[in-house]
C-alpha cells in the first residue's frame, strides 16, 4: 500500500486577482487529516476546490488512490465536501439533505433510510431529522453538513473553513467532535482554515500556504516550535524574527541581537526566530538597551514589546503577569540565541 | 421615533386610494348612470357586466393573450436569467442592459414599432400571435428582472454542494436550482400576467380586426356609454389587482414592481 | 475570512458545467440560453424600432427618403402643441410628484410603525388596471368639481387635469425611489443635527434633502419618461382636448392612417426620452447586477 493516497502534481490555476495556485505538489496519506493553513488569498480554498473538481486547473494532475481524476467532474469524484456556509438545501429537511447524495447513487430506499439514521446518530441529530435547515442553530447546521458529506462514504472529506461562522465556544466543541469522527471513520481529510488553533487541534500534518504555493508541511507541533520559513514564523507569530546581516564563511551568523554559532541546518539562513520566552528583560543592564512600547496582557501571560534603541527593531518577550513594567520604561534585552530557530526566506 | 400620527402621509394615502374607492362605490349604483357617489345600492350591475358578451369576449381574449405572453416571457426570461446568474461571459453587462431596454421605451412606441414591423416587413394584419409577441417584448424584461434578482441571491455553493454529492447537471437543476427559483418564477409570472392583462398601449396597435382586449373595450365603453356595469367590471379588476398584490406580498416579490407601471 | 471565496467561485465557474474537459463549451451554453431573449430584443424591439425610424424618414407619397414628416410635425400647430403639452406633462408631473414624494417618504422613515401601511398604499394601485385607475380619477374629479363651492376646477379635459392625474398615478414610483435613498440615510444624522440646534425645517433642508437626492434623480427620470410617454392620461383625462405626442402617434396611425407621420412623432418623443433612459439604465444595472 502506497503511503500517498491523494497525490497532486504540478497543479496550477491562475486567476486575474492572484488568488490562484502555482505548481502545487502534495501527497496526502491515507486516513490522515491534512490542514491547509494560510491567510486570505493564499490559494488554500482554490486548492481544495481543485481537489473537489469545482475548479478546473490550468495544468497538473489530481490522483486519488492511483486513479487520475483530473478530468472527472465534481459529481463523479466521490468527495464529501463541507462548505464554509454549509450550503444546506433550504427547501429540504435535514433527513432529505443527508439523503441527497445517496439518492443520486440510486441506493435502495431501505438502505438510504438506515444510512441516514446512522449518519444523524453519529452527529447526534437524529431527533431533528424532519426539521428544515432554517430551524436549526449554526452548530446544528454544521453537523448536518458534515453528516451529509460523510454519509456517502467519500474517498476524501474536504472541509472549507466549516467552523469559521460559529461562536468560539461552539467552535471548540465541534472541532474536537470533528477530529474524533474523522479518526473513528478513518476517512482521509483535507481541512482549510486560517486559524492556528484549529490547525494545531485537527491536523495530522499542516501545510502552510502563501501566494499560491505551499511554504512548508510539517506536524503541527513541529511547525509551531520549529518553523523553517520566515513566512511561517511570521504567520504563526512564533517569535521575534531578526534578519541575518551576514556570516563568516562556515562561521558565526551576525544579527542585530548578537552573533550565534553556525547552526546545523543546511541551506541558506535568511533570518532567525527567537521565541518570546527566550528573551529576558533586565531593568539595569546587561543587554541591548531599549524602551518598552507595549504591554499586552492575556489570561496567563504578558507579552512585552520592546523597541531596541540602536536598530529600532521590535522584540517581543514573554513575562509573568506579576512582572511590573510600564510603557516607556528603559530596559535591557537579553536574547538566548541558543534557542533561536533558523529560517529560510 | 415620532409617535405622533403622520397626518400628511395619511392624507396623501387617501388621495391615492380614493379613485379606487370611487370605482368600487360606483359599481354599487342602483341607477342607470355611472356616478359617484352612487345613487342607491344594488349588485345588479355585476350580473349585468358578467352578462355583457362584449365584456366576456374581451375578457376571454385578454386572458388567452395574457396566459400565452406569460408562458413565453417566463420561459425566455428564465433561460436568459440562468445564463446571466450562473455563467460569466463576455458582454455580460451589455446583455443585461439591452435586455431591460424595452422597459425604458414608452409602450405606445413599442406598440407602434411592432405594428410597423408586422405590417411592413411581414405584410400581415394584426393578429393574436402578433398581440402576444408584442406583449412579450415588454413582458420578458419584466419577468427577467424578478427572476435574475431571485437567482442572483442564491448561494452558488448550494449547487456546488449538490454536485459534490454526485448529482448530474440536470439533477442539480431539477432538485436544487428550480425549486429555489420557484418563488421568483411565481412572482415574475404574476407580474407579467397582470402587465399583459392590463395593457392597452401595445394592444391598441396589434388587436386582430373585430376583436378587442378587455382594457380596450372598457376604454371605448367609457367614451361611449358609461353605465355602472363598467364600474362593476372595474371593481372586479380592482379585486384581481389586490389579490395579486397580496400574493406578491407573501412571496416577497413586491419590490420588483416599480420598474413597470401605468404607461 | 478565507481567500476571497465568493469571488474566486465566480471566476472559476458559477454553475454546474465545464470542469475537467476544458473545451470551449463555456460560451456556447450561455449563448444558447440567451438566444431566445436576444431574438425578441433584436427581432421585435430593435429591428422594429429601426423600421419606425426609416418610416419616419420616408415620404408616404413618393416612398423615398425625405424629411417631410418632420417638416409637417414642426410646421403644423398640432405638432407644436403636442410637443409642448408632452414636455409640460413630463416636467410638471415630475416636479409635483417629487415635491409630494419627498415629505411622504420622509414620513415613512420617521414613522416606522406606519411604514408597512404606507408602502402597501404605494404598491397596491400599481397592480390595478390603468383604465380602471383613470376611470376612478374621472369619477372622483367630477364629484370634487360638483361639491367645490368656488367655481370650476380644471381636473378634467385640461392640461392641468392630465398632470394632476399623472401625479396620482406616478407618485408610487417616485416615492419608492426616494424612500430607497432616505432609508439608507444614517438616522443619527438627524439626531446630530437636532442636538446642534437645527429646527425641523433646517434638518429637512440640510440633512434629509441631500440624502434624498439620488432617489429624487432616479425617480424623476422614471417619472418623466413614464408620464411623457403615457397614452391613457392625455387620452382619457384630456378627453381629446389635450393632444400629446402619444395620442398623436396613435391617432395618426388609427385614424388618418398616416404611419409615416406617426413614426416621425415617435422618433421625436424618443429623442426626448431616450438619453435620460439610457442614463438611468446604466446606473440601475451598475447598482443591481452582481
Amino acid at each position: 500500500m502506497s503511503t500517498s493516497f491523494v497525490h497532486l502534481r504540478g497543479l496550477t490555476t491562475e486567476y486575474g486577482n492572484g488568488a490562484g495556485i502555482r505548481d502545487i505538489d502534495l501527497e496526502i496519506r491515507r486516513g490522515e487529516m491534512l490542514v491547509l493553513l494560510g491567510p486570505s488569498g493564499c490559494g488554500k480554498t482554490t486548492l481544495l476546490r481543485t481537489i473537489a473538481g469545482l475548479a478546473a486547473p490550468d495544468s497538473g494532475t489530481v490522483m486519488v488512490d492511483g486513479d487520475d481524476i483530473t478530468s472527472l467532474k465534481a459529481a463523479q469524484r466521490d468527495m464529501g465536501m463541507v462548505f464554509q456556509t454549509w450550503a444546506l438545501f433550504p427547501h429540504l429537511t435535514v433527513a432529505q439533505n443527508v439523503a441527497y447524495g445517496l439518492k443520486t447513487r440510486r441506493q435502495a430506499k431501505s438502505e438510504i433510510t438506515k444510512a441516514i439514521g446512522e449518519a444523524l446518530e453519529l452527529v447526534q441529530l437524529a431527533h431533528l431529522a424532519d426539521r428544515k435547515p432554517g430551524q436549526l442553530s449554526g452548530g446544528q447546521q454544521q453537523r448536518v453538513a458534515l453528516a451529509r458529506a460523510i454519509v456517502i462514504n467519500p474517498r476524501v472529506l474536504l472541509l472549507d473553513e466549516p467552523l469559521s461562522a460559529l461562536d468560539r465556544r461552539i467552535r471548540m466543541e465541534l472541532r474536537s467532535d470533528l477530529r474524533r469522527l474523522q479518526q473513528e471513520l478513518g476517512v482521509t481529510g483535507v481541512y482549510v482554515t486560517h486559524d492556528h488553533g484549529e490547525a494545531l487541534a485537527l491536523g495530522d500534518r499542516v501545510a502552510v500556504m502563501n501566494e499560491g504555493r505551499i511554504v512548508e508541511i510539517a506536524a503541527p507541533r513541529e511547525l509551531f516550535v520549529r518553523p523553517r520559513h520566515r513566512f511561517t514564523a511570521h504567520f504563526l507569530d512564533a517569535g521575534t524574527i531578526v534578519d541575518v546581516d551576514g556570516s563568516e564563511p562556515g562561521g558565526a551568523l551576525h544579527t542585530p541581537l548578537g552573533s550565534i554559532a553556525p547552526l546545523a541546518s543546511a541551506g541558506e539562513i535568511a533570518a532567525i526566530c527567537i521565541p518570546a520566552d527566550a528573551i529576558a528583560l533586565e531593568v539595569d543592564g546587561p543587554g541591548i538597551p531599549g524602551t518598552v512600547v507595549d504591554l499586552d496582557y492575556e489570561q496567563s501571560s504578558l507579552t512585552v514589546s520592546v523597541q531596541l534603541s540602536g536598530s529600532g527593531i521590535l522584540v517581543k518577550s514573554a513575562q509573568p503577569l506579576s512582572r511590573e513594567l510600564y510603557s516607556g520604561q528603559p530596559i535591557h534585552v537579553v536574547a538566548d540565541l541558543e534557542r533561536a530557530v533558523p529560517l529560510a526566506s | 421615533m415620532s409617535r405622533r400620527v403622520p397626518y400628511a402621509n395619511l392624507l396623501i394615502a387617501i388621495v391615492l386610494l380614493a379613485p379606487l374607492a370611487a370605482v368600487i362605490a360606483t359599481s354599487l349604483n342602483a341607477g342607470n348612470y355611472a356616478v359617484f357617489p352612487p345613487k342607491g345600492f344594488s349588485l345588479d350591475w355585476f350580473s349585468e357586466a358578467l352578462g355583457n358578451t362584449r365584456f366576456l369576449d374581451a375578457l376571454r381574449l385578454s386572458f388567452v393573450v395574457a396566459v400565452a405572453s406569460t408562458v413565453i416571457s417566463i420561459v425566455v426570461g428564465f433561460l436568459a436569467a440562468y445564463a446571466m446568474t450562473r455563467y460569466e461571459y463576455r458582454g455580460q453587462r451589455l446583455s443585461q442592459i439591452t435586455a431591460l431596454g424595452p422597459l425604458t421605451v414608452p409602450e405606445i412606441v413599442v406598440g407602434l414599432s411592432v405594428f410597423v414591423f408586422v405590417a411592413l416587413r411581414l405584410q400581415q394584419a394584426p393578429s393574436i400571435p402578433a398581440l402576444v409577441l408584442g406583449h412579450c417584448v415588454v413582458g420578458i424584461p419584466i419577468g427577467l428582472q424578478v427572476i435574475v434578482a431571485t437567482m442572483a441571491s442564491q448561494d452558488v455553493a448550494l449547487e456546488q454542494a449538490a454536485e459534490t454529492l454526485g448529482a448530474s447537471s440536470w439533477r442539480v437543476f431539477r432538485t436544487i436550482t428550480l425549486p429555489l427559483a420557484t418563488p421568483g418564477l411565481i412572482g415574475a409570472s404574476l407580474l407579467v400576467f397582470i402587465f399583459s392583462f392590463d395593457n392597452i398601449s401595445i394592444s391598441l396597435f396589434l388587436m386582430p380586426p373585430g376583436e378587442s382586449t378587455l382594457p380596450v373595450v372598457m376604454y371605448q365603453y367609457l367614451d361611449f356609454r358609461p353605465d355602472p356595469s363598467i364600474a362593476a367590471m372595474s371593481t372586479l379588476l380592482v379585486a384581481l389587482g389586490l389579490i395579486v398584490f397580496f400574493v406578491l406580498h407573501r412571496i416577497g416579490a413586491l419590490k420588483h414592481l416599480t420598474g413597470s407601471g401605468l404607461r | 475570512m478565507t481567500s476571497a471565496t465568493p469571488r474566486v467561485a465566480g471566476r472559476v465557474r458559477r454553475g454546474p458545467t465545464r470542469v475537467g474537459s476544458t473545451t470551449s463549451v463555456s460560451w456556447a451554453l450561455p449563448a444558447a440560453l440567451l438566444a431566445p431573449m436576444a431574438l425578441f430584443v433584436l427581432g421585435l424591439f430593435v429591428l422594429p424600432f429601426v423600421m419606425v425610424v426609416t418610416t419616419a424618414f420616408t415620404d408616404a407619397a413618393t416612398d423615398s427618403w425625405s424629411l417631410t414628416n418632420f417638416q409637417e410635425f414642426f410646421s403644423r400647430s398640432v405638432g407644436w402643441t403636442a410637443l409642448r403639452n408632452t414636455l409640460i406633462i413630463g416636467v410638471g408631473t415630475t416636479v409635483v410628484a417629487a415635491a409630494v414624494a419627498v415629505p411622504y417618504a420622509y414620513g415613512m422613515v420617521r414613522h416606522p410603525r406606519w411604514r408597512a401601511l404606507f408602502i402597501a398604499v404605494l404598491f397596491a394601485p400599481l397592480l390595478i388596471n390603468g383604465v380602471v385607475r383613470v376611470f376612478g380619477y374621472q369619477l372622483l374629479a367630477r364629484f370634487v368639481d360638483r361639491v367645490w363651492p368656488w367655481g370650476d376646477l380644471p381636473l378634467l379635459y385640461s392640461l392641468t387635469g392630465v398632470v394632476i392625474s399623472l401625479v396620482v398615478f406616478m407618485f408610487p414610483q417616485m416615492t419608492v425611489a426616494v424612500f430607497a435613498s432616505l432609508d439608507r440615510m444614517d438616522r443619527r444624522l438627524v439626531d446630530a443635527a437636532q442636538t446642534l440646534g437645527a429646527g425641523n425645517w433646517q434638518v429637512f433642508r440640510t440633512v434629509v434633502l441631500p440624502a434624498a437626492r439620488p432617489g429624487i434623480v432616479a425617480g424623476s427620470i422614471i417619472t418623466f419618461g413614464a408620464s411623457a410617454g403615457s397614452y391613457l392620461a392625455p387620452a382619457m383625462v384630456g378627453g381629446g382636448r389635450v393632444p400629446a405626442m402619444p395620442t398623436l402617434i396613435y391617432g395618426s396611425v388609427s385614424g388618418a392612417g398616416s404611419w409615416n407621420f406617426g413614426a416621425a412623432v415617435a422618433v421625436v418623443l424618443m429623442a426626448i426620452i431616450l438619453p435620460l433612459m439610457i442614463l438611468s439604465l446604466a446606473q440601475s444595472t451598475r447598482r443591481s447586477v452582481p
Side-chain angles (χ1 to χ4, degrees):
Chain A
M1 190 182 85
S2 151
T3 51
S4 158
F5 183 60
V6 179
H7 194 163
L8 311 179
R9 264 203 316 250
L11 275 187
T12 298
T13 313
E14 294 284 356
Y15 297 120
N17 63 3
I21 50 176
R22 285 166 204 88
D23 201 22
I24 297 271
D25 286 307
L26 181 61
E27 297 189 5
I28 304 168
R29 298 171 194 148
R30 191 188 294 272
E32 82 167 331
M33 180 73 111
L34 179 83
V35 174
L36 300 176
L37 176 68
S40 278
C42 72
K44 56 190 190 294
T45 294
T46 306
L47 180 55
L48 191 79
R49 297 169 63 85
T50 309
I51 300 173
L54 293 171
D58 298 332
S59 61
T61 54
V62 180
M63 313 261 289
V64 175
D65 206 7
D67 308 328
D68 183 346
I69 60 164
T70 317
S71 61
L72 289 187
K73 290 182 174 185
Q76 301 159 323
R77 289 194 180 194
D78 261 342
M79 305 255 178
M81 180 144 169
V82 179
F83 291 78
Q84 191 176 11
T85 54
W86 309 314
L88 296 181
F89 308 131
H91 57 301
L92 303 181
T93 63
V94 166
Q96 286 168 332
N97 263 279
V98 177
Y100 193 91
L102 300 172
K103 283 189 179 157
T104 65
R105 285 168 174 71
R106 305 196 187 287
Q107 293 195 359
K109 209 163 212 162
S110 59
E111 273 179 55
I112 293 181
T113 316
K114 188 160 155 274
I116 297 172
E118 286 172 5
L120 287 177
E121 206 62 60
L122 217 49
V123 296
Q124 297 151 28
L125 284 178
H127 58 296
L128 299 177
D130 296 324
R131 296 270 184 93
K132 291 277 178 70
Q135 301 167 292
L136 303 184
S137 72
Q140 290 168 337
Q141 290 187 47
Q142 198 279 331
R143 277 144 66 194
V144 176
L146 184 63
R148 186 178 68 177
I150 58 177
V151 77
I152 61 171
N153 220 343
R155 303 177 88 179
V156 185
L157 180 62
L158 306 172
L159 303 123
D160 184 6
E161 306 223 19
L163 304 179
S164 64
L166 297 169
D167 291 343
R168 189 181 143 77
R169 201 177 51 75
I170 300 171
R171 206 162 61 216
M172 305 294 239
E173 199 180 302
L174 287 180
R175 151 171 127 185
S176 52
D177 286 356
L178 192 65
R179 178 60 167 158
R180 183 177 45 76
L181 207 63
Q182 181 259 337
Q183 284 175 334
E184 276 175 21
L185 296 171
V187 61
T188 310
V190 183
Y191 190 103
V192 162
T193 185
H194 64 272
D195 182 308
H196 316 165
E198 271 176 29
L200 194 59
L202 283 167
D204 291 308
R205 289 191 301 153
V206 176
V208 177
M209 291 187 68
N210 185 36
E211 295 184 344
R213 296 179 196 279
I214 293 176
V215 179
E216 62 182 293
I217 306 184
R221 213 193 75 86
E222 181 70 7
L223 205 61
F224 278 79
V225 177
R226 302 212 140 258
R228 291 198 304 267
H229 289 79
R230 183 206 297 269
F231 176 80
T232 313
H234 178 72
F235 183 68
L236 298 178
D237 203 11
T240 302
I241 300 167
V242 187
D243 285 333
V244 170
D245 295 334
S247 61
E248 295 153 19
L253 301 170
H254 300 304
T255 78
L257 297 186
S259 297
I260 46 174
L263 292 146
S265 124
E268 183 139 348
I269 296 168
I272 56 169
C273 172
I274 309 154
D277 59 358
I279 292 181
L281 301 179
E282 306 288 345
V283 180
D284 316 299
I288 307 164
T291 314
V292 174
V293 290
D294 185 52
L295 299 163
D296 185 9
Y297 289 92
E298 277 172 36
Q299 259 175 340
S300 56
S301 75
L302 162 63
T303 305
V304 184
S305 301
V306 177
Q307 185 149 37
L308 301 186
S309 305
S311 55
I313 291 174
L314 204 63
V315 299
K316 287 189 176 177
S317 164
Q319 296 294 329
L321 281 172
S322 55
R323 181 92 188 246
E324 282 183 28
L325 295 165
Y326 58 90
S327 195
Q329 182 176 10
I331 202 115
H332 290 80
V333 171
V334 181
D336 178 5
L337 293 180
E338 298 277 300
R339 293 182 53 202
V341 182
L343 301 174
S345 59
Chain B
M1 297 227 92
S2 177
R3 284 178 181 277
R4 284 170 302 131
V5 179
Y7 292 108
N9 277 42
L10 284 173
L11 183 71
I12 295 170
I14 289 169
V15 173
L16 286 180
L17 295 182
L20 305 178
V23 166
I24 296 169
T26 305
S27 68
L28 305 174
N29 247 309
N32 286 331
Y33 297 98
V35 290
F36 175 80
K39 294 189 164 38
F41 174 86
S42 94
L43 292 173
D44 294 350
W45 293 105
F46 282 89
S47 51
E48 181 77 20
L50 293 174
N52 183 328
T53 53
R54 275 188 70 203
F55 282 166
L56 291 183
D57 289 346
L59 183 65
R60 198 173 303 120
L61 177 66
S62 281
F63 185 76
V64 168
V65 169
V67 168
S69 314
T70 305
V71 170
I72 296 173
S73 298
I74 296 305
V75 170
V76 172
F78 184 45
L79 294 179
Y82 190 83
M84 288 174 179
T85 56
R86 293 298 183 270
Y87 292 92
E88 299 219 324
Y89 53 90
R90 246 200 281 171
Q92 195 149 10
R93 213 168 102 76
L94 184 71
S95 75
Q96 285 160 338
I97 292 180
T98 328
L100 299 184
L103 293 181
T104 65
V105 172
E107 281 172 18
I108 197 90
V109 177
V110 173
L112 175 73
S113 303
V114 179
F115 168 73
V116 167
F117 177 75
V118 169
L120 292 185
R121 176 57 58 95
L122 306 180
Q123 306 278 332
Q124 301 270 317
S127 60
I128 292 179
L131 185 56
V132 170
L133 292 180
H135 283 188
C136 286
V137 172
V138 181
I140 290 169
I142 289 176
L144 183 74
Q145 275 188 317
V146 183
I147 303 171
V148 163
T150 312
M151 294 189 68
S153 66
Q154 285 170 15
D155 184 359
V156 284
L158 293 172
E159 284 160 352
Q160 292 170 347
E163 264 183 274
T164 62
L165 292 168
S168 62
S169 301
W170 168 244
R171 193 183 181 95
V172 173
F173 178 81
R174 192 169 52 79
T175 57
I176 307 295
T177 314
L178 197 57
L180 292 177
T182 301
L185 291 173
I186 294 173
S189 303
L190 286 172
L191 284 180
V192 176
F193 180 89
I194 280 288
F195 154 77
S196 169
F197 191 76
D198 285 348
N199 181 274
I200 187 158
S201 305
I202 297 175
S203 301
L204 279 174
F205 291 93
L206 297 170
M207 287 176 313
E211 293 188 71
S212 292
T213 62
L214 186 61
V216 176
V217 166
M218 290 171 67
Y219 168 61
Q220 290 163 346
Y221 199 92
L222 277 172
D223 245 9
F224 149 79
R225 197 192 60 179
D227 65 39
S229 68
I230 185 94
M233 202 65 228
S234 298
T235 300
L236 295 177
L237 292 187
V238 171
L240 174 72
L242 292 179
I243 291 168
V244 172
F245 170 82
F246 284 114
V247 176
L248 289 176
H249 180 68
R250 274 207 71 93
I251 62 176
L254 267 187
K255 57 182 176 289
H256 304 295
L257 205 59
T258 46
S260 59
L262 180 126
R263 280 183 283 190
Chain C
M1 289 302 295
T2 183
S3 51
T5 315
R7 275 207 311 166
V8 175
R11 282 183 200 271
V12 185
R13 48 203 287 279
R14 311 175 66 148
T17 45
R18 73 175 163 104
V19 150
S21 54
T22 37
T23 46
S24 53
V25 212
S26 48
W27 62 268
L29 203 51
L33 293 169
L34 289 167
M37 184 206 73
L39 206 65
F40 266 93
V41 173
L42 295 177
L44 285 166
F45 177 64
V46 177
L47 177 65
F49 185 69
V50 170
M51 290 185 67
V52 167
V53 176
T54 55
T55 307
F57 285 99
T58 303
D59 187 318
T62 63
D63 202 24
S64 60
W65 195 91
S66 99
L67 287 172
T68 333
N69 304 307
F70 292 96
Q71 282 161 353
E72 190 186 344
F73 179 83
F74 287 111
S75 64
R76 280 167 49 190
S77 72
V78 58
W80 281 109
T81 311
L83 179 60
R84 192 203 61 179
N85 285 348
T86 288
L87 286 176
I88 292 174
I89 289 169
V91 174
T93 305
T94 306
V95 170
V96 179
V100 190
V102 175
Y104 187 87
Y106 186 46
M108 281 164 67
V109 172
R110 277 172 30 117
H111 299 90
R113 294 151 183 272
W114 295 77
R115 190 178 299 169
L117 173 75
F118 289 144
I119 290 179
V121 168
L122 291 179
F123 280 127
L126 288 178
L127 287 161
I128 288 164
N129 189 302
V131 176
V132 172
R133 292 175 76 191
V134 182
F135 175 43
Y137 175 83
Q138 290 176 330
L139 290 170
L140 202 66
R142 286 196 199 100
F143 167 71
V144 172
D145 198 22
R146 204 163 51 242
V147 299
W148 185 258
W150 304 285
D152 284 344
L153 283 172
L155 295 175
L156 284 174
Y157 315 118
S158 70
L159 192 55
T160 314
V162 174
V163 171
I164 293 173
S165 69
L166 276 169
V167 169
V168 175
F169 303 144
M170 301 300 168
F171 182 76
Q173 270 112 319
M174 176 68 95
T175 308
V176 169
V178 174
F179 177 69
S181 279
L182 277 186
D183 203 33
R184 280 197 293 268
M185 171 181 76
D186 187 349
R187 221 76 52 79
R188 281 166 302 187
L189 288 178
V190 175
D191 301 342
Q194 277 165 346
T195 61
L196 293 171
N200 280 343
W201 167 244
Q202 238 180 329
V203 169
F204 184 77
R205 200 171 50 82
T206 55
V207 178
V208 178
L209 214 49
R213 185 163 300 139
I216 297 175
V217 172
S220 294
I221 293 172
I222 298 171
T223 306
F224 178 85
S227 52
S230 167
Y231 170 81
L232 272 185
M236 288 181 71
V237 179
R241 285 177 228 178
V242 187
M245 297 178 70
T247 53
L248 194 56
I249 292 170
Y250 181 63
S252 51
V253 171
S254 72
S258 170
W259 307 354
N260 304 70
F261 181 72
V265 183
V267 168
V268 176
L269 179 62
M270 288 302 293
I272 297 169
I273 292 177
L274 206 58
L276 285 170
M277 286 301 167
I278 290 173
L279 205 72
S280 84
L281 203 58
Q283 273 190 345
S284 72
T285 48
R286 193 170 306 137
R287 262 185 280 115
S288 65
V289 162

